[in-house]
Amino acid sequence: MSDESDARAGGGMPNHAPGDVDAEDFRRHGHAVIDWIAEFLRDPAAYPVLPQVALGAVRAALPASPPQGPEPMDAVLADFARIIVPGSAQWNHPSFFGYFAISGSAPGVLAEALAAALNVNAMLWRSAPAATELEQLTLDWLRQMLGLPAGFVGTITDTASSSTLYALAAAREMAPDLRLRDDGLAGRMDVPRLRVYCSEEAHSSVTRAVMTLGLGISGVRTIATDDALAMDVSALERAVAEDRAAGVRPLAVVATVGTTSSAAIDPVARIADVCERENLWLHVDAAYGGAAAILPEKRWVLDGCERADSLVTNPHKWLFVPLDCSALYTRRPELLERAFSLVPEYLTVPQADAGESEVVNLMDYGVALGRRFRALKLWMVMRTFGVDGLRARIRYHCELAREFASWVEADSGWEVVAPVEFSLVCFRYAPAGVGEEERDALNRRILDEVNATGEVFLSHTKLRGRLVVRLAVGNIRTELSHVARVWALSREAAKHGRV
Ligand SMILES: *Cc1c(COP(=O)(O)O)cnc(C)c1O
């Protein structure tokens, strides 16, 4: 606009927006940031894996009120290096073995920056054509890598917890006679108790989803597990029959491939038999374990999953995509859509967009309207490493776990306490002549002592009521020497722990 037309339109108001950071400043700081990231990713182990930081220290190091005026980016980045980095647990550290270890790989980091630059909101196809279509494409690539049939349609959510919530919301639509979408649950005498089943080793997100859907914590019935900590299918059958006899309406079963505590694998094919016979929705939680299925020799972990109604796996967990990126697949997208689609006038799509084929608007498959462009990082990670490169990394992780487990097994004072099919080893110090209570105390002390070195981080769980230490390999930079160090530190700590 010329100054003249501007003056006419705005009554003399100048044409200068306060605007963004100067483009040349951005370039300079951008280079500095990338340099910092490159150094950081070259050696994240330069920092202690867990921060040596007191509770409240990060907050106390920063002003309690926002800056009134602009601050130079140099000062902001200096505080990032001085306060934020040392106050962070180093999840990208090769010796981070706690929970499920993850990786924000380099291509994923670049993709996050590019996604922020585009800043598209993938609520409608027309609001983000490339993001919508890339999401469909990348999830179809991943589906092929996992060996799932073509009928599985994928959508990206933030987390497995959301994915499971959405899957169970779709499961509720299997009971149209109950009119839950329209009439809800509250104040109704004509709706029976509804039940969702999962094993006692299932992730807490299953119960949280059921709570959120208004079915109550008692809407979940947990099923006993067998020696391998996998769901006991006859116990499931008995529970369903018992519930039906008591007037409770079974709705869905959540099977887990790779439980959080011990990476146990529920017998999905046999659970699918039950679900088909009983007309129950089968959701598979493969948040962690699904990634292993990209290996031909591990594809069996998803056996039976082709019969599931839905399945979740997290590329942010074990496929080197930075948080957050969860892939939710379903063979019944129409039920997922029925659970969530509600289109206000301002979001209706002009017929012209649709043309001949159906337009997919991602907002119809979850509670979020606005959606980040998460497919970009999945696409960039897949292209940068290729299927072969991803397989090599997952395979190496499985081999590291196997190797570690063999050291533990070879030492008579120690034991591996769950099958090692993935990259997780559950182990404990179990010297002869020591009672179970004391063994728990010993292992807790070993864990604390090993973690206190700042060199490695391990977490724990309880299996059959006993404390066990977990070594979860998942970082793209983890090598044999890192795993060997855990074993050396653990044995050293066990010597100290002995009284
Ligand atoms: C990690 C995990 C989850 C939760 O994943 P989020 O993406 O953090 O919600 C769910 N189920 C299993 C089996 C997991 O291992």
Short mmCIF file of all heavy atoms in Angstrom, two decimals, residues 405-446:
data_model
loop_
_atom_site.label_atom_id
_atom_site.label_comp_id
_atom_site.label_asym_id
_atom_site.label_seq_id
_atom_site.Cartn_x
_atom_site.Cartn_y
_atom_site.Cartn_z
N ALA A 405 21.12 -58.63 29.23
CA ALA A 405 20.42 -59.71 29.94
C ALA A 405 21.33 -60.93 30.10
O ALA A 405 21.31 -61.61 31.13
CB ALA A 405 19.14 -60.09 29.20
N SER A 406 22.18 -61.19 29.09
CA SER A 406 23.06 -62.37 29.18
C SER A 406 24.10 -62.18 30.29
O SER A 406 24.47 -63.14 30.96
CB SER A 406 23.72 -62.65 27.82
OG SER A 406 24.74 -61.70 27.58
N TRP A 407 24.55 -60.95 30.50
CA TRP A 407 25.49 -60.71 31.60
C TRP A 407 24.81 -60.97 32.93
O TRP A 407 25.39 -61.55 33.84
CB TRP A 407 26.02 -59.27 31.58
CG TRP A 407 26.72 -58.88 30.31
CD1 TRP A 407 27.36 -59.72 29.45
CD2 TRP A 407 26.82 -57.56 29.76
NE1 TRP A 407 27.86 -59.00 28.40
CE2 TRP A 407 27.56 -57.68 28.55
CE3 TRP A 407 26.38 -56.31 30.15
CZ2 TRP A 407 27.84 -56.58 27.75
CZ3 TRP A 407 26.67 -55.20 29.36
CH2 TRP A 407 27.39 -55.35 28.16
N VAL A 408 23.57 -60.47 33.05
CA VAL A 408 22.84 -60.63 34.31
C VAL A 408 22.60 -62.12 34.57
O VAL A 408 22.81 -62.62 35.69
CB VAL A 408 21.50 -59.86 34.26
CG1 VAL A 408 20.70 -60.11 35.54
CG2 VAL A 408 21.75 -58.36 34.06
N GLU A 409 22.19 -62.83 33.51
CA GLU A 409 21.88 -64.26 33.67
C GLU A 409 23.12 -65.06 34.08
O GLU A 409 23.02 -66.05 34.81
CB GLU A 409 21.32 -64.83 32.36
CG GLU A 409 19.85 -64.49 32.16
CD GLU A 409 19.40 -64.58 30.70
OE1 GLU A 409 20.27 -64.83 29.82
OE2 GLU A 409 18.20 -64.36 30.44
N ALA A 410 24.27 -64.62 33.60
CA ALA A 410 25.50 -65.37 33.87
C ALA A 410 26.02 -65.17 35.29
O ALA A 410 26.92 -65.87 35.74
CB ALA A 410 26.58 -64.98 32.86
N ASP A 411 25.45 -64.20 36.00
CA ASP A 411 25.91 -63.91 37.35
C ASP A 411 24.91 -64.49 38.35
O ASP A 411 23.75 -64.07 38.40
CB ASP A 411 26.03 -62.39 37.52
CG ASP A 411 26.73 -62.03 38.82
OD1 ASP A 411 26.41 -62.65 39.86
OD2 ASP A 411 27.57 -61.12 38.80
N SER A 412 25.37 -65.42 39.18
CA SER A 412 24.43 -66.17 40.02
C SER A 412 23.74 -65.30 41.06
O SER A 412 22.67 -65.65 41.55
CB SER A 412 25.17 -67.32 40.70
OG SER A 412 26.20 -66.77 41.51
N GLY A 413 24.31 -64.15 41.38
CA GLY A 413 23.67 -63.30 42.38
C GLY A 413 22.53 -62.45 41.82
O GLY A 413 21.82 -61.78 42.57
N TRP A 414 22.38 -62.47 40.51
CA TRP A 414 21.41 -61.58 39.86
C TRP A 414 20.42 -62.39 39.04
O TRP A 414 20.70 -63.53 38.67
CB TRP A 414 22.12 -60.61 38.90
CG TRP A 414 23.01 -59.63 39.60
CD1 TRP A 414 24.23 -59.89 40.17
CD2 TRP A 414 22.75 -58.23 39.81
NE1 TRP A 414 24.76 -58.74 40.71
CE2 TRP A 414 23.87 -57.71 40.51
CE3 TRP A 414 21.71 -57.37 39.48
CZ2 TRP A 414 23.96 -56.36 40.88
CZ3 TRP A 414 21.79 -56.04 39.84
CH2 TRP A 414 22.90 -55.55 40.54
N GLU A 415 19.26 -61.77 38.72
CA GLU A 415 18.31 -62.47 37.84
C GLU A 415 17.59 -61.52 36.90
O GLU A 415 17.36 -60.35 37.23
CB GLU A 415 17.30 -63.28 38.68
CG GLU A 415 16.45 -62.43 39.59
CD GLU A 415 15.61 -63.26 40.56
OE1 GLU A 415 15.93 -64.45 40.77
OE2 GLU A 415 14.64 -62.72 41.10
N VAL A 416 17.28 -62.04 35.73
CA VAL A 416 16.41 -61.34 34.77
C VAL A 416 15.00 -61.82 35.08
O VAL A 416 14.76 -63.02 35.13
CB VAL A 416 16.80 -61.70 33.32
CG1 VAL A 416 15.80 -61.11 32.33
CG2 VAL A 416 18.20 -61.21 33.02
N VAL A 417 14.08 -60.89 35.34
CA VAL A 417 12.81 -61.33 35.90
C VAL A 417 11.65 -61.31 34.91
O VAL A 417 10.53 -61.62 35.29
CB VAL A 417 12.44 -60.51 37.16
CG1 VAL A 417 13.41 -60.79 38.27
CG2 VAL A 417 12.40 -59.03 36.84
N ALA A 418 11.89 -60.95 33.64
CA ALA A 418 10.82 -61.01 32.64
C ALA A 418 11.46 -61.29 31.29
O ALA A 418 12.63 -60.95 31.08
CB ALA A 418 10.05 -59.68 32.61
N PRO A 419 10.71 -61.92 30.38
CA PRO A 419 11.27 -62.22 29.05
C PRO A 419 11.76 -60.93 28.37
O PRO A 419 11.15 -59.88 28.52
CB PRO A 419 10.08 -62.81 28.28
CG PRO A 419 9.10 -63.26 29.32
CD PRO A 419 9.31 -62.37 30.51
N VAL A 420 12.87 -61.04 27.64
CA VAL A 420 13.44 -59.87 26.94
C VAL A 420 13.17 -60.03 25.45
O VAL A 420 13.93 -60.67 24.72
CB VAL A 420 14.95 -59.76 27.23
CG1 VAL A 420 15.54 -58.56 26.50
CG2 VAL A 420 15.20 -59.64 28.73
N GLU A 421 12.07 -59.48 24.98
CA GLU A 421 11.71 -59.57 23.56
C GLU A 421 11.96 -58.26 22.84
O GLU A 421 11.97 -58.20 21.61
CB GLU A 421 10.23 -59.94 23.39
CG GLU A 421 9.85 -61.29 23.99
CD GLU A 421 10.45 -62.47 23.24
OE1 GLU A 421 11.19 -62.26 22.25
OE2 GLU A 421 10.18 -63.62 23.64
N PHE A 422 12.08 -57.16 23.59
CA PHE A 422 12.24 -55.84 23.00
C PHE A 422 13.59 -55.27 23.46
O PHE A 422 14.58 -55.98 23.46
CB PHE A 422 11.07 -54.94 23.41
CG PHE A 422 9.71 -55.45 22.99
CD1 PHE A 422 8.95 -56.23 23.84
CD2 PHE A 422 9.19 -55.12 21.73
CE1 PHE A 422 7.69 -56.69 23.45
CE2 PHE A 422 7.94 -55.57 21.34
CZ PHE A 422 7.19 -56.36 22.19
N SER A 423 13.57 -54.00 23.88
CA SER A 423 14.83 -53.39 24.32
C SER A 423 14.79 -53.08 25.81
O SER A 423 15.47 -52.19 26.29
CB SER A 423 15.09 -52.10 23.52
OG SER A 423 14.07 -51.16 23.80
N LEU A 424 13.94 -53.79 26.53
CA LEU A 424 13.78 -53.59 27.98
C LEU A 424 14.25 -54.82 28.74
O LEU A 424 13.89 -55.94 28.39
CB LEU A 424 12.30 -53.33 28.30
CG LEU A 424 11.95 -53.20 29.79
CD1 LEU A 424 12.52 -51.90 30.37
CD2 LEU A 424 10.43 -53.23 29.99
N VAL A 425 15.06 -54.57 29.77
CA VAL A 425 15.48 -55.66 30.65
C VAL A 425 15.01 -55.33 32.07
O VAL A 425 15.36 -54.28 32.61
CB VAL A 425 17.01 -55.85 30.67
CG1 VAL A 425 17.39 -57.07 31.51
CG2 VAL A 425 17.56 -56.00 29.25
N CYS A 426 14.21 -56.23 32.66
CA CYS A 426 13.84 -56.09 34.07
C CYS A 426 14.72 -57.06 34.85
O CYS A 426 14.72 -58.26 34.57
CB CYS A 426 12.37 -56.46 34.27
SG CYS A 426 11.24 -55.28 33.54
N PHE A 427 15.48 -56.52 35.78
CA PHE A 427 16.44 -57.38 36.48
C PHE A 427 16.52 -56.98 37.94
O PHE A 427 16.04 -55.91 38.34
CB PHE A 427 17.81 -57.31 35.81
CG PHE A 427 18.50 -55.96 35.91
CD1 PHE A 427 19.58 -55.78 36.77
CD2 PHE A 427 18.09 -54.89 35.14
CE1 PHE A 427 20.23 -54.55 36.87
CE2 PHE A 427 18.72 -53.65 35.23
CZ PHE A 427 19.79 -53.48 36.09
N ARG A 428 17.12 -57.84 38.73
CA ARG A 428 17.30 -57.51 40.14
C ARG A 428 18.44 -58.31 40.74
O ARG A 428 18.80 -59.39 40.26
CB ARG A 428 16.01 -57.74 40.93
CG ARG A 428 15.61 -59.17 41.09
CD ARG A 428 14.15 -59.28 41.54
NE ARG A 428 13.89 -58.57 42.76
CZ ARG A 428 13.50 -59.12 43.91
NH1 ARG A 428 13.34 -60.43 43.99
NH2 ARG A 428 13.26 -58.39 44.98
N TYR A 429 18.94 -57.74 41.79
CA TYR A 429 19.96 -58.42 42.59
C TYR A 429 19.22 -59.34 43.53
O TYR A 429 18.32 -58.91 44.26
CB TYR A 429 20.75 -57.35 43.37
CG TYR A 429 21.90 -57.87 44.17
CD1 TYR A 429 22.81 -58.77 43.62
CD2 TYR A 429 22.11 -57.42 45.47
CE1 TYR A 429 23.88 -59.23 44.37
CE2 TYR A 429 23.18 -57.86 46.22
CZ TYR A 429 24.06 -58.78 45.66
OH TYR A 429 25.13 -59.23 46.40
N ALA A 430 19.55 -60.61 43.49
CA ALA A 430 18.81 -61.58 44.29
C ALA A 430 19.76 -62.60 44.90
O ALA A 430 19.76 -63.79 44.54
CB ALA A 430 17.76 -62.28 43.43
N PRO A 431 20.63 -62.13 45.80
CA PRO A 431 21.61 -63.06 46.36
C PRO A 431 20.94 -64.14 47.19
O PRO A 431 19.88 -63.91 47.79
CB PRO A 431 22.48 -62.15 47.25
CG PRO A 431 21.63 -60.96 47.55
CD PRO A 431 20.70 -60.78 46.39
N ALA A 432 21.56 -65.32 47.17
CA ALA A 432 21.01 -66.45 47.92
C ALA A 432 21.03 -66.14 49.42
O ALA A 432 21.86 -65.37 49.90
CB ALA A 432 21.85 -67.70 47.64
N GLY A 433 20.07 -66.71 50.12
CA GLY A 433 20.04 -66.57 51.56
C GLY A 433 19.53 -65.23 52.06
O GLY A 433 19.70 -64.89 53.23
N VAL A 434 18.93 -64.45 51.15
CA VAL A 434 18.41 -63.13 51.53
C VAL A 434 16.90 -63.12 51.26
O VAL A 434 16.46 -63.52 50.19
CB VAL A 434 19.11 -62.01 50.72
CG1 VAL A 434 18.48 -60.66 51.02
CG2 VAL A 434 20.60 -61.98 51.04
N GLY A 435 16.11 -62.71 52.23
CA GLY A 435 14.65 -62.71 52.09
C GLY A 435 14.17 -61.68 51.07
O GLY A 435 14.90 -60.77 50.70
N GLU A 436 12.91 -61.84 50.65
CA GLU A 436 12.37 -60.97 49.61
C GLU A 436 12.31 -59.49 50.04
O GLU A 436 12.60 -58.60 49.25
CB GLU A 436 10.97 -61.44 49.19
CG GLU A 436 10.98 -62.72 48.37
CD GLU A 436 11.69 -62.57 47.02
OE1 GLU A 436 11.97 -61.43 46.59
OE2 GLU A 436 11.99 -63.61 46.40
N GLU A 437 11.94 -59.26 51.29
CA GLU A 437 11.87 -57.87 51.77
C GLU A 437 13.24 -57.20 51.67
O GLU A 437 13.38 -56.07 51.22
CB GLU A 437 11.39 -57.82 53.23
CG GLU A 437 9.95 -58.26 53.44
CD GLU A 437 8.97 -57.36 52.69
OE1 GLU A 437 9.19 -56.14 52.67
OE2 GLU A 437 7.98 -57.91 52.13
N GLU A 438 14.22 -57.96 52.12
CA GLU A 438 15.57 -57.40 52.12
C GLU A 438 16.09 -57.21 50.70
O GLU A 438 16.81 -56.26 50.41
CB GLU A 438 16.51 -58.31 52.92
CG GLU A 438 17.78 -57.59 53.35
CD GLU A 438 18.76 -58.52 54.07
OE1 GLU A 438 18.28 -59.48 54.72
OE2 GLU A 438 19.96 -58.29 53.97
N ARG A 439 15.71 -58.13 49.82
CA ARG A 439 16.09 -57.98 48.41
C ARG A 439 15.50 -56.69 47.82
O ARG A 439 16.18 -55.97 47.09
CB ARG A 439 15.60 -59.17 47.58
CG ARG A 439 16.43 -60.41 47.80
CD ARG A 439 15.86 -61.56 46.99
NE ARG A 439 16.72 -62.74 47.05
CZ ARG A 439 16.45 -63.88 46.43
NH1 ARG A 439 15.34 -64.01 45.73
NH2 ARG A 439 17.28 -64.90 46.53
N ASP A 440 14.27 -56.41 48.16
CA ASP A 440 13.65 -55.15 47.68
C ASP A 440 14.48 -53.95 48.14
O ASP A 440 14.77 -53.04 47.38
CB ASP A 440 12.22 -55.02 48.22
CG ASP A 440 11.23 -55.85 47.42
OD1 ASP A 440 11.66 -56.53 46.46
OD2 ASP A 440 10.03 -55.82 47.75
N ALA A 441 14.84 -54.00 49.43
CA ALA A 441 15.61 -52.87 50.00
C ALA A 441 16.97 -52.77 49.32
O ALA A 441 17.43 -51.66 49.00
CB ALA A 441 15.75 -53.06 51.51
N LEU A 442 17.59 -53.91 49.07
CA LEU A 442 18.90 -53.91 48.40
C LEU A 442 18.81 -53.29 47.01
O LEU A 442 19.62 -52.47 46.62
CB LEU A 442 19.41 -55.36 48.26
CG LEU A 442 20.16 -55.98 49.42
CD1 LEU A 442 20.41 -57.47 49.14
CD2 LEU A 442 21.47 -55.26 49.65
N ASN A 443 17.79 -53.69 46.27
CA ASN A 443 17.65 -53.19 44.91
C ASN A 443 17.34 -51.70 44.87
O ASN A 443 17.80 -50.98 44.00
CB ASN A 443 16.60 -53.99 44.14
CG ASN A 443 17.18 -55.31 43.64
OD1 ASN A 443 17.88 -55.35 42.63
ND2 ASN A 443 16.92 -56.39 44.37
N ARG A 444 16.56 -51.26 45.85
CA ARG A 444 16.29 -49.82 45.91
C ARG A 444 17.57 -49.05 46.18
O ARG A 444 17.83 -48.01 45.58
CB ARG A 444 15.23 -49.53 46.98
CG ARG A 444 14.68 -48.12 46.92
CD ARG A 444 13.52 -47.91 47.87
NE ARG A 444 12.29 -48.57 47.44
CZ ARG A 444 11.47 -48.09 46.50
NH1 ARG A 444 11.77 -46.97 45.87
NH2 ARG A 444 10.36 -48.71 46.18
N ARG A 445 18.39 -49.62 47.06
CA ARG A 445 19.65 -48.95 47.38
C ARG A 445 20.60 -48.96 46.18
O ARG A 445 21.26 -47.97 45.89
CB ARG A 445 20.29 -49.65 48.58
CG ARG A 445 21.30 -48.78 49.32
CD ARG A 445 21.41 -49.21 50.76
NE ARG A 445 21.76 -50.62 50.87
CZ ARG A 445 21.55 -51.35 51.97
NH1 ARG A 445 21.02 -50.82 53.04
NH2 ARG A 445 21.90 -52.62 52.00
N ILE A 446 20.63 -50.07 45.48
CA ILE A 446 21.49 -50.15 44.29
C ILE A 446 21.04 -49.11 43.26
O ILE A 446 21.84 -48.38 42.68
CB ILE A 446 21.44 -51.58 43.69
CG1 ILE A 446 22.16 -52.55 44.62
CG2 ILE A 446 22.05 -51.60 42.29
CD1 ILE A 446 21.92 -54.01 44.28
#
